[in-house]
Amino acid sequence: MWGDYQTEPTIKLDSLLKDVLSEGVNAKYAYRHFPIDSNCNPGVKNYKNQYPGSCEMAKVVEAVDILCGNEARWRVHKLFMTTQQSVSLNSLANTAASVCSQSSETIADIAASADVAIRLRDDINSKLRVWKRSVPVLVIDGRFIPRWEVEGTTGRDTLLQIIDEASK
């Protein structure tokens, strides 16, 4: 899934995917960044709605991955999927420091590094190869899923069916 930490549809799909995966289905969840913030994503400069600070959120998550590993990355991801009072780099790094055994200054320094910028650019470019509009974007077993909420069913049921079919 590609998403932006500050958009309601991304937050909703993230929660739905975690719910579905908690049922023991044979699938893994990968979250990729597509910040709707022209500070790091020039492709969204003409979007009507912008989410300032989304770039910083994505950068801090990637910095935590570099510094403290995948488990800490997912813990910070979970924190950022909730409403943040401040989306400044320093404030976000401070929040991440509660999860990662590094100082907020170290996290902020890595978040501002070229390595993190490359990771973010790769996520953004890979999303654009799949779907140019909106977030979140969901791909299961290499297939773009345009809708997971189908009238008459729950999103959960639809996702379980798609995952089941993909595993055959």
Side-chain angles (χ1 to χ4, degrees):
M1 171 178 129
W2 285 268
D4 179 306
Y5 286 111
Q6 296 189 76
T7 67
E8 277 302 315
T10 296
I11 294 166
K12 186 177 177 182
L13 181 57
D14 178 76
S15 177
L16 180 62
L17 286 168
K18 288 177 183 174
D19 179 52
V20 166
L21 293 174
S22 73
E23 297 194 21
V25 297
N26 185 22
K28 293 184 181 184
Y29 176 29
Y31 182 86
R32 303 290 178 242
H33 306 286
F34 192 80
I36 310 293
D37 180 349
S38 59
N39 286 322
C40 67
N41 188 352
V44 300
K45 68 181 175 213
N46 294 323
Y47 279 39
K48 180 179 175 183
N49 295 321
Q50 293 275 323
Y51 296 90
S54 292
C55 293
E56 286 73 16
M57 295 173 95
K59 289 175 184 178
V60 167
V61 169
E62 291 303 316
V64 168
D65 187 46
I66 290 168
L67 292 166
C68 297
N70 193 50
E71 183 179 324
R73 176 194 203 275
W74 281 107
R75 289 175 59 202
V76 172
H77 168 88
K78 182 178 179 179
L79 286 171
F80 287 0
M81 279 293 169
T82 62
T83 304
Q84 297 296 309
Q85 297 294 358
S86 172
V87 290
S88 73
L89 181 60
N90 290 334
S91 174
L92 295 166
N94 193 47
T95 298
S98 69
V99 170
C100 181
S101 60
Q102 298 288 329
S103 71
S104 60
E105 293 82 10
T106 300
I107 294 169
D109 286 347
I110 298 300
S113 72
D115 287 343
V116 167
I118 290 168
R119 286 179 172 213
L120 202 52
R121 185 195 66 219
D122 289 349
D123 279 0
I124 290 166
N125 288 340
S126 65
K127 186 262 188 190
L128 293 173
R129 285 190 293 273
V130 174
W131 185 250
K132 300 218 181 300
R133 296 184 229 144
S134 71
V135 292
V137 169
L138 181 62
V139 173
I140 297 177
D141 196 29
R143 290 184 0 225
F144 169 61
I145 309 300
R147 286 184 302 257
W148 50 90
E149 294 179 316
V150 180
E151 191 174 326
T153 69
T154 66
R156 181 187 159 283
D157 292 341
T158 303
L159 284 177
L160 283 169
Q161 182 181 0
I162 292 168
I163 292 168
D164 182 57
E165 288 174 14
S167 68
K168 293 178 181 176

